[in-house]
Amino acid sequence: MKRFLAAAAALAALSAFAAPPQDTPAGEQRFRELYKELVETNTTLSAGNCTLAAERMAARLKAAGFPDSDLHPFTAPDHPKEGGLVAIFPGKDPKLKAVLLLAHIDVVEAKREDWTRDPFKLVEENGYFYARGASDDKAEAAIWVDTLIRFKGENFKPRRTLKLALTCGEETAGAFNAANSSTRHLHSTKAPPENWMQAAIGSPLRSKQARNFHRTTGWRSRTRAATARGL
């Protein structure tokens, strides 16, 4: 919940520098469909597929007008279901540092017998959403994807480039982490040119840095600092 509120606060800060929001019933419905699709895509380590979830978000961004050159799916050959996505929304001033919008799309294991409802069916009851990952962290991921779609539709051009990174492995302690694994290759002279995680973000995203971004207060302060300087 804290992370969901932090994402909402950051979104409000980002929106302050954009054109007036077009919060129409159609826009709300589109977000709900995007959010539902992401939540209902099983991304547990045992039976899920982060790569599929990332591909579905990439398809929505492409349908909104993002060119293939700004959409960079990534994975490792020996972990084909633990991939992710980096999406680029170019800013007006390439000399300014980009704003990183980071969220993980994997979820903790969920046994059907432990749940009153199907954990991979999004249910809304009495103003609350119920499902595995409904808040941590697919709400944040859906907010970021929808934000970029809205900005594209409104022809908003930020001063700073926005870089969205949807990663896998945060909730699977001790398991392979596609994002961190891809960046470890950067320390090798044999780093593959198709390493889109590094190419898109511009520098290695070490595990310590990823954890720092995922701490609510640190992530929020970084976002506020970036938006205070102006998108």
Side-chain angles (χ1 to χ4, degrees), residues 6-213:
L11 176 59
L14 288 170
S15 299
F17 293 90
Q22 299 176 9
D23 208 0
T24 63
E28 180 179 343
Q29 180 62 29
R30 184 194 60 230
F31 172 76
R32 283 175 173 266
E33 291 172 356
L34 183 159
Y35 176 52
K36 183 175 187 292
E37 180 178 43
L38 185 57
V39 170
E40 293 189 353
T41 303
N42 187 331
T43 53
T44 59
L45 182 63
S46 63
N49 194 327
C50 282
T51 303
L52 176 61
E55 289 173 349
R56 287 175 171 174
M57 295 301 99
R60 287 185 175 272
L61 289 166
K62 185 172 182 178
F66 279 73
D68 289 337
S69 58
D70 287 336
L71 299 174
H72 309 296
F74 64 90
T75 189
D78 51 341
H79 293 270
K81 295 184 179 181
E82 297 172 58
L85 172 71
V86 170
I88 312 297
F89 192 74
K92 291 184 291 187
D93 191 344
K95 295 180 180 179
L96 294 176
K97 291 183 178 180
V99 175
L100 175 61
L101 309 178
L102 180 64
H104 68 85
I105 53 177
D106 59 314
V107 296
V108 177
E109 297 292 336
K111 296 180 180 179
R112 179 64 184 88
E113 59 267 26
D114 295 336
W115 287 64
T116 302
R117 308 164 183 81
D118 185 335
F120 294 103
K121 291 294 182 182
L122 185 65
V123 175
E124 184 179 3
E125 291 182 5
N126 301 318
Y128 293 92
F129 287 110
Y130 296 88
R132 171 60 88 208
S135 60
D136 184 10
D137 190 26
K138 291 182 176 179
E140 183 178 18
I143 287 170
W144 292 148
V145 175
D146 185 66
T147 296
L148 295 188
I149 290 174
R150 285 173 182 259
F151 283 173
K152 175 68 79 171
E154 295 169 6
N155 296 315
F156 171 61
K157 191 71 171 179
R159 289 180 61 225
R160 297 174 184 275
T161 293
L162 306 180
K163 298 185 178 182
L164 168 69
L166 302 181
T167 65
C168 189
E170 200 273 352
E171 298 287 13
T172 49
F176 171 80
N177 185 312
N180 293 333
S181 177
S182 67
T183 56
R184 281 197 293 271
H185 287 296
L186 302 176
H187 300 289
S188 167
T189 55
K190 298 181 181 180
E194 64 272 21
N195 188 333
W196 287 114
M197 187 68 180
Q198 185 270 343
I201 292 177
S203 64
L205 184 66
R206 298 180 180 86
S207 59
K208 182 178 180 180
Q209 292 173 318
R211 287 196 299 271
N212 286 340
F213 267 107

